[in-house]
């Protein structure tokens, strides 16, 4: 299939966009707050999974899933939180993005709950041993953390998770319908000219 030139039918101005999609209701705009209030704090404390969105200085974006035990994120005050950076594959995509562009977005999920909490702000990669020492997992403190200065918080409506039925086990596929992550990993390495022996 030939590549499509998306620019031929692109929307390029906000005026053109609003001709198609009307402005949001005032209540939708006003639900956004600039502090971590008690509701946001409780939501974060119950969330074992969140998505971390970052972008480097060149505009290349990345979204990273982060799983940890509930209450692993430390709320410092109404404007700041710290995320422990646990050991992983050492690609450090999110960390390097933050170092070149501090703007981040977070989506917190709680299993069984269709609403999500969205937080936007500015991030800093930190190595404060005293602060990170209080965020140990299995006796090991993280080497790095992500300090977030919160600029915006709001609860996102449940439509996306309702429609996807993500928590409804009756809709879950049989794992045999997809190749294993190992097979996908090996096939992607082959595309890059690397073949591993089984």
């Amino acid at each position: 299939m030939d590549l499509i030139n998306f620019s031929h039918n692109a929307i390029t101005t906000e005026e053109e966009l609003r001709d198609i999609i009307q402005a949001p209701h005032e209540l939708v705009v006003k639900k956004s707050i600039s502090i971590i209030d008690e509701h946001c704090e409780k939501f974060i404390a119950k969330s074992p999974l969140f998505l971390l969105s970052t972008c480097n200085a060149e505009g290349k974006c990345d979204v990273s899933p982060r799983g940890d035990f509930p209450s692993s994120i430390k709320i410092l005050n109404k404007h700041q939180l710290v995320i422990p950076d646990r050991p992983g594959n050492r690609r450090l995509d999110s960390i390097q993005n933050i170092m070149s562009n501090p703007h981040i977005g977070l989506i917190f999920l709680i299993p069984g709950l269709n609403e999500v909490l969205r937080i936007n702000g500015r991030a800093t990669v930190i190595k404060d041993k005293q602060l990170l020492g209080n965020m140990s997992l299995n006796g090991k403190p993280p080497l790095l953390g992500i300090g977030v200065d919160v600029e915006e918080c709001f609860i996102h409506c449940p439509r996306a998770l309702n429609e996807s039925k993500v928590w409804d086990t009756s809709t879950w596929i049989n794992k045999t319908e997809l190749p294993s992550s190992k097979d996908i990993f090996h096939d992607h390495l082959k595309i890059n000219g690397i073949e591993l022996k089984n």
Side-chain angles (χ1 to χ4, degrees), residues 153-166:
C153 304
F154 60 95
I155 292 291
H156 194 97
C157 75
R159 181 176 179 181
L161 273 70
N162 277 341
E163 293 296 327
S164 68
K165 296 181 171 51
V166 68

Side-chain angles (χ1 to χ4, degrees), residues 129-140:
K129 290 185 178 180
Q130 183 175 356
L131 186 58
L132 298 176
N134 297 321
M135 307 178 80
S136 294
L137 178 64
N138 298 325
K140 294 182 179 179

Side-chain angles (χ1 to χ4, degrees), residues 151-180:
E151 296 174 339
E152 182 180 37
C153 304
F154 60 95
I155 292 291
H156 194 97
C157 75
R159 181 176 179 181
L161 273 70
N162 277 341
E163 293 296 327
S164 68
K165 296 181 171 51
V166 68
W167 307 125
D168 182 355
T169 58
S170 68
T171 68
W172 293 1
I173 67 166
N174 187 317
K175 290 183 180 180
T176 59
E177 294 179 35
L178 287 173
S180 70

